[in-house]
Amino acid sequence: MKLGNILTGLSIILLFGIVGCGSDDASGSKGGSGEFKEIDSIDVEGHLALNNFFIRDDGEALNYGEKDDRLAEPDRMKVWVDGEIEELDMETFDHFSYLHPEGNIYTTVNDSNNETTPYTLVIYDPRTGESEEFLKTVEPEDFFHVGPRYVSEEEGLIPVRSDGYDELNFYLWDYQNDEIEMYELTEELYELFGEIERTHEPKLALSRDAKSLYISYTEGISHYNTETGELNEVSIGEDMDANSVKVTLDNQYAVTRKYTGSEEIMGLANFYITDRDSFEQKEIGEGTNIFPIAAGKIVIQKENELTVYDTETDETSPFYTIELGEEEDLKKVLVSGDGNTIAYGYKKKEDDEEDKTIIKIIRR
């Protein structure tokens, strides 16, 4: 009896072991945490427009551009929503339209013949197919942008550079009420930077809570507190990339980069975070791109290797490894804000055919 019970127990253990191994194989993970599996694969028509590739925080929508000529602007703009693909109207949603991580696609329609309201803001929800339009009647001559990091969906605000070369003024446009709050910062910015060569080309980044406005020139990066009116230095004269400021999802840190000048890895940089309260800055790692995700974490990409940095513990750990074949070339990677979805585009050589571009979407 005892021997029979022992053999039965061993059989059960072996059975669970086999089931467990099968479960790992079915996960579809490629050298990562073992938790991600493929949920969709998209064949790109022509080339993937690398500057028009965005993902929602929950990973349920992906916006991408396709172009027939590798060096041209996108010929088609598309959005993937949980397995369904929609081609957008290029007259409205061209290469200046952007899927924001908080959910909607933002774009502007410019009517140069209308001096009173030359700009119309269009906000499109790809999940419902519904859109809203907002006329910008206040300060109509100013150019405004709705690209990544320029919109706080949470507060319904967009930062705008006030028109003019001599005055360095900015405002937040409340697009739902067509109202603005002006920040006259000419004197303060010159005092901070000393000299600004291209005053008409600032790069802006707005935190989701709209309390932090980051104003960047080639001479440096500054932080403006829209509640207190305080202007502070993030970095000055340190060769930081003025175009690269990203804000963590908890609004607490600005992530900046300084290129290493590597000849082996294109775009390799050292990344830094700056606390918006203390303005303490620290280096967090080396890579080619970063993706702020939930819980105060930042995913760092270094070619096909993804690691995650924790702002609370100051520790870095493996996140995922994208494994491709010898004839496959990684083009662009995205990580959703919740950290549960990865989308990446890669080019694959086809026998006796032109190279094919594919987008893989994996989720845990």
Side-chain angles (χ1 to χ4, degrees):
M1 292 293 293
K2 289 183 178 180
L3 179 59
N5 289 338
I6 291 171
L7 290 173
T8 300
L10 287 172
S11 299
I12 293 172
I13 292 170
L14 288 170
L15 177 60
F16 276 114
I18 292 170
V19 172
C21 290
S23 177
D24 285 343
D25 290 341
S27 71
S29 172
K30 294 183 177 181
S33 62
E35 300 173 345
F36 287 89
K37 62 180 180 181
E38 182 179 321
I39 62 167
D40 209 346
S41 178
I42 303 170
D43 289 340
V44 176
E45 184 181 347
H47 303 274
L48 177 64
L50 302 184
N51 293 326
N52 298 94
F53 193 36
F54 307 100
I55 193 168
R56 271 172 49 103
D57 277 340
D58 59 10
E60 293 183 0
L62 185 77
N63 179 210
Y64 62 99
E66 297 178 332
K67 50 189 182 179
D68 298 327
D69 185 342
R70 185 172 60 87
L71 300 178
E73 295 173 352
D75 295 286
R76 294 164 296 280
M77 295 294 291
K78 296 183 177 180
V79 60
W80 172 96
V81 181
D82 253 355
E84 300 295 325
I85 296 176
E86 175 190 1
E87 184 167 346
L88 302 173
D89 178 9
M90 283 292 290
E91 289 189 7
T92 302
F93 301 98
D94 58 11
H95 64 290
F96 288 121
S97 64
Y98 308 88
L99 171 67
H100 281 256
E102 294 163 274
N104 297 313
I105 296 177
Y106 282 68
T107 189
T108 56
V109 178
N110 184 15
D111 182 0
S112 57
N113 295 321
N114 189 337
E115 296 181 359
T116 306
T117 56
Y119 291 109
T120 300
L121 173 68
V122 181
I123 303 177
Y124 177 67
D125 186 341
R127 298 161 298 178
T128 64
E130 297 177 352
S131 62
E132 292 182 275
E133 294 186 2
F134 302 92
L135 292 176
K136 186 176 183 294
T137 63
V138 290
E139 305 291 340
E141 71 277 8
D142 292 341
F143 172 80
F144 77 103
H145 186 49
V146 295
R149 304 181 291 281
Y150 271 73
V151 176
S152 168
E153 287 199 44
E154 182 181 312
E155 300 297 329
L157 297 170
I158 299 173
V160 183
R161 161 77 163 93
S162 185
D163 189 37
Y165 285 79
D166 299 324
E167 300 296 319
L168 306 182
N169 298 328
F170 304 84
Y171 59 86
L172 291 182
W173 178 48
D174 177 346
Y175 52 79
Q176 293 178 332
N177 300 303
D178 196 24
E179 297 175 348
I180 65 173
E181 183 173 355
M182 183 69 74
Y183 310 118
E184 299 180 355
L185 302 177
T186 305
E187 188 175 326
E188 290 90 338
L189 283 169
Y190 273 115
E191 191 174 309
L192 191 66
F193 293 129
E195 181 181 344
I196 302 174
E197 183 178 352
R198 303 180 70 84
T199 58
H200 61 293
E201 293 185 354
K203 305 300 179 184
L204 306 179
L206 185 67
S207 61
R208 295 190 179 204
D209 61 7
K211 293 180 182 178
S212 295
L213 175 62
Y214 294 90
I215 305 168
S216 306
Y217 297 94
T218 55
E219 289 81 5
I221 301 169
S222 62
H223 171 274
Y224 181 74
N225 188 314
T226 60
E227 288 191 331
T228 66
E230 295 180 1
L231 184 72
N232 295 90
E233 166 191 338
V234 173
S235 65
I236 294 179
E238 297 177 358
D239 298 322
M240 292 287 183
D241 177 20
N243 296 304
S244 70
V245 179
K246 291 185 180 181
V247 185
T248 54
L249 271 62
D250 61 5
N251 304 300
Q252 193 60 38
Y253 297 95
V255 189
T256 53
R257 77 167 87 200
K258 182 191 296 185
Y259 290 107
T260 65
S262 171
E263 295 182 358
E264 297 178 358
I265 302 177
M266 183 178 296
L268 187 65
N270 293 318
F271 290 100
Y272 303 79
I273 57 171
T274 302
D275 187 285
R276 74 169 176 181
D277 295 326
S278 67
F279 298 98
E280 176 185 354
Q281 187 177 94
K282 67 172 71 172
E283 186 174 344
I284 64 171
E286 184 184 61
T288 48
N289 205 352
I290 58 102
F291 310 95
I293 62 173
K297 296 181 180 179
I298 301 166
V299 174
I300 303 174
Q301 177 195 354
K302 187 175 182 180
E303 296 187 296
N304 66 324
E305 296 285 346
L306 302 178
T307 57
V308 59
Y309 171 82
D310 191 325
T311 58
E312 291 188 3
T313 64
D314 199 28
E315 294 179 351
T316 301
S317 56
F319 186 74
Y320 191 79
T321 299
I322 299 171
E323 293 187 359
L324 298 174
E326 291 183 2
E327 300 299 315
E328 297 172 342
D329 181 24
L330 185 64
K331 291 298 181 181
K332 190 72 179 280
V333 177
L334 299 174
V335 180
S336 63
D338 61 9
N340 292 325
T341 304
I342 300 172
Y344 59 93
Y346 67 95
K347 186 171 286 188
K348 179 180 181 180
K349 284 189 176 294
E350 296 284 305
D351 294 337
D352 300 324
E353 295 181 17
E354 292 185 1
D355 293 350
K356 183 178 183 180
T357 301
I358 299 168
I359 296 173
K360 290 286 186 185
I361 305 173
I362 59 176
R363 183 177 293 165
R364 60 180 176 185

